[in-house]
């Protein structure tokens, strides 16, 4: 019996190692493609000539290369996500929710998810959950790539952080939330430009698929404000009140999110790695910008976002799944860090330029170490993106409705 158990464990380890090649190959290939993409506009050059006359100047070679590269990344990332089967912590749960919403039974998911499921199932003529997952994959990848390309100062470094810090791979596990996170990242440019109608509409549409996105309507405008001294005083008072009034705040949180009541999520929790990342980014910001840390509107937004994430992790650890709130702030790191390093390496001071190069190498090394640590636990509960299985060679285990509730 012991020999058989050892054989099964060895076989499972070998299987996990073999399917890990899928993720490793995807990461290496997409990074190679991203290296060829330069940040900028993919639209053709149009130069104004008078009030209503414009001269079309064609599309440059760089823009063509960028379009092909972005499309290739979209196809690869969406494809690997779309053809997976029972990969991800919530995959089978989502299939169950889709079945129940199609049967007009109660489900805890948002209206956008429910109506999309009904539409796809009705259009397909059967319970085509694979197509629903594929749509989520395509939308998530689209918003992430669009945000990185349009808003990053260094697309390649931002894409490295996107892949190696687990944003893409975690989207295989937490489907609705990472779509919301991608929408939040994409919405930042509207917030910074003061385009509030587009910002609000986009966030409300995204909230139809994960209601936690609603908090962005408060968090991002706060981060984009020019803070006064009295605001810091109020913020400090709120932080310290969390020490003494956490039970009151927890009751309010469960009223807003009643699905958390009576669950293990009420135990709260924080993230040591998340705190370390926020502290490291804030130190980098101080080193690069010094007294000008909040002088530029965009850099100020990123600074306050990371400061907000740190404060939430430290003072609001009692809140259910506080990481989901802080991630709306922390996701800005994949834009903030490349912008800071680019500014440092553009400094005429040779020592600061060299420091920028060293810090960029250290950033990549840190991302690689995080990726290794993440993949070591990729088969664990809560992540479960290993073993990677596809719709072509595997079948989905029976869901709760198929097994029966008895």
């Amino acid at each position: 019996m012991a020999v058989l158990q050892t054989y099964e464990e060895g076989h499972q380890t070998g299987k996990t190692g073999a399917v890990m090649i899928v993720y490793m190959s995807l990461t290496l290939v997409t990074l190679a493609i991203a290296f060829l993409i330069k940040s900028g506009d993919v639209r053709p050059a149009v130069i104004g000539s008078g009030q209503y006359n414009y001269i079309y100047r064609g599309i440059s070679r760089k823009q063509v290369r960028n379009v092909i590269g972005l499309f290739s990344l979209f196809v690869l990332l969406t494809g690997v996500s779309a053809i997976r089967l029972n990969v991800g912590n919530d995959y089978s749960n989502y299939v169950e929710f889709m079945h129940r919403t199609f049967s007009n039974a109660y489900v805890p998911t948002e209206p956008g998810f429910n109506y999309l499921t009904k539409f796809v199932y009705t259009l397909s003529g059967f319970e085509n959950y694979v197509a629903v997952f594929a749509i989520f994959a395509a939308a998530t990848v689209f918003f992430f790539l669009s945000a990185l390309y349009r808003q990053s100062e260094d697309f390649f470094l931002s894409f490295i952080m996107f892949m190696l810090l687990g944003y893409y791979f975690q989207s295989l596990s937490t489907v609705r939330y990472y779509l919301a996170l991608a929408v939040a990242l994409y919405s930042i440019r509207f917030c910074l430009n003061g385009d509030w109608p587009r910002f609000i509409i986009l966030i409300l549409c995204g909230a139809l698929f994960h209601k936690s996105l609603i908090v962005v309507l408060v968090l991002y405008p706060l981060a984009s404000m020019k803070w006064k001294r009295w605001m810091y005083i109020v913020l400090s008072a709120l932080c310290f009140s969390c020490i003494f009034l956490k039970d009151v705040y927890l009751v309010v949180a469960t009223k807003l999110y009643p699905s958390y009541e009576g669950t293990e999520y009420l135990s709260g929790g924080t993230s040591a790695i998340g705190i370390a990342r926020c502290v490291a980014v804030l130190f980098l910001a101080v080193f690069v910008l010094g007294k000008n840390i909040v002088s530029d509107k965009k850099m100020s937004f990123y600074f306050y976002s990371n400061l907000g994430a740190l404060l939430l992790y430290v003072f609001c650890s009692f809140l259910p799944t506080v990481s989901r709130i802080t991630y709306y702030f922390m996701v800005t790191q994949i834009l903030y860090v490349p912008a800071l390093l680019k500014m440092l390496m553009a400094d005429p001071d040779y020592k600061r330029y060299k420091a920028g190069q060293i810090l960029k190498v250290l950033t990549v090394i840190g991302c690689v170490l995080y990726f290794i640590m993440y993949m070591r636990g990729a088969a664990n509960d809560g992540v479960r993106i290993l073993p990677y299985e596809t719709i072509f060679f595997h079948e989905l285990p029976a869901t709760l409705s198929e097994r029966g509730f008895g």
Side-chain angles (χ1 to χ4, degrees), residues 88-122:
N89 190 59
D90 297 331
Y91 194 100
S92 59
N93 290 336
Y94 278 131
V95 174
E96 174 68 17
F97 290 155
M98 292 177 199
H99 169 74
R100 289 167 61 183
T101 193
F102 189 58
S103 303
N104 294 317
Y106 170 77
V107 287
T109 47
E110 288 80 5
F113 177 86
N114 300 336
Y115 284 113
L116 175 64
T117 297
K118 289 183 178 181
F119 175 77
V120 173
Y121 278 20
T122 301

Side-chain angles (χ1 to χ4, degrees), residues 17-259:
V19 296
M20 179 77 80
I21 296 174
V22 175
Y23 293 149
M24 294 300 297
S25 300
L26 176 69
T27 302
L28 293 174
V29 170
T30 53
L31 288 177
I33 295 173
F35 179 74
L36 302 174
I37 299 175
K38 306 302 178 184
S39 299
D41 201 340
V42 297
R43 294 173 299 180
V46 178
I47 299 179
S49 176
Q51 185 176 4
Y52 298 106
N53 298 321
Y54 293 90
I55 303 173
Y56 175 73
R57 301 302 295 266
I59 186 169
S60 68
R61 184 176 301 176
K62 169 191 169 183
Q63 291 169 327
V64 172
R65 184 172 63 246
N66 286 349
V67 169
I68 294 174
L70 289 169
F71 181 73
S72 300
L73 291 177
F74 175 80
V75 171
L76 288 170
L77 295 175
T78 302
V80 169
S81 181
I83 65 172
R84 76 190 193 279
L85 185 71
N86 200 29
V87 174
N89 190 59
D90 297 331
Y91 194 100
S92 59
N93 290 336
Y94 278 131
V95 174
E96 174 68 17
F97 290 155
M98 292 177 199
H99 169 74
R100 289 167 61 183
T101 193
F102 189 58
S103 303
N104 294 317
Y106 170 77
V107 287
T109 47
E110 288 80 5
F113 177 86
N114 300 336
Y115 284 113
L116 175 64
T117 297
K118 289 183 178 181
F119 175 77
V120 173
Y121 278 20
T122 301
L123 193 64
S124 301
F126 65 99
E127 297 192 8
N128 191 358
Y129 53 85
V130 174
V132 178
F133 280 112
I135 292 172
F136 269 91
T140 302
V141 171
F142 170 80
F143 281 114
F144 268 123
L145 288 181
S146 296
L148 295 185
Y149 185 78
R150 291 176 179 272
Q151 300 175 72
S152 177
E153 298 290 335
D154 185 343
F155 178 83
F156 182 51
L157 182 56
S158 290
F159 189 80
I160 288 175
M161 297 178 71
F162 168 66
M163 292 298 293
L164 299 187
L165 294 180
Y167 288 102
Y168 168 73
F169 294 104
Q170 195 62 26
S171 72
L172 306 181
S173 179
T174 314
V175 177
R176 290 182 301 122
Y177 175 74
Y178 270 79
L179 172 60
L181 190 64
V183 171
L185 186 66
Y186 185 82
S187 73
I188 289 174
R189 65 194 187 99
F190 298 129
C191 180
L192 293 176
N193 292 334
D195 192 347
W196 300 115
R198 289 190 184 184
F199 173 73
I200 293 172
I201 291 172
L202 182 62
I203 295 303
L204 291 178
C205 289
L208 292 174
F209 297 91
H210 202 284
K211 60 186 177 183
S212 70
L213 187 59
I214 289 290
V215 300
V216 170
L217 292 176
V218 177
L219 298 182
Y220 283 4
L222 283 175
S224 66
M225 292 173 59
K226 188 173 182 179
W227 280 59
K228 307 293 184 182
R229 184 174 298 178
W230 67 267
M231 296 180 179
Y232 290 106
I233 296 174
V234 172
L235 178 63
S236 300
L238 284 174
C239 289
F240 283 107
S241 72
C242 290
I243 301 174
F244 306 102
L245 300 175
K246 63 180 182 180
D247 292 334
V248 176
Y249 293 151
L250 191 58
V251 170
V252 174
T254 53
K255 294 297 182 182
L256 294 174
Y257 292 92
S259 58

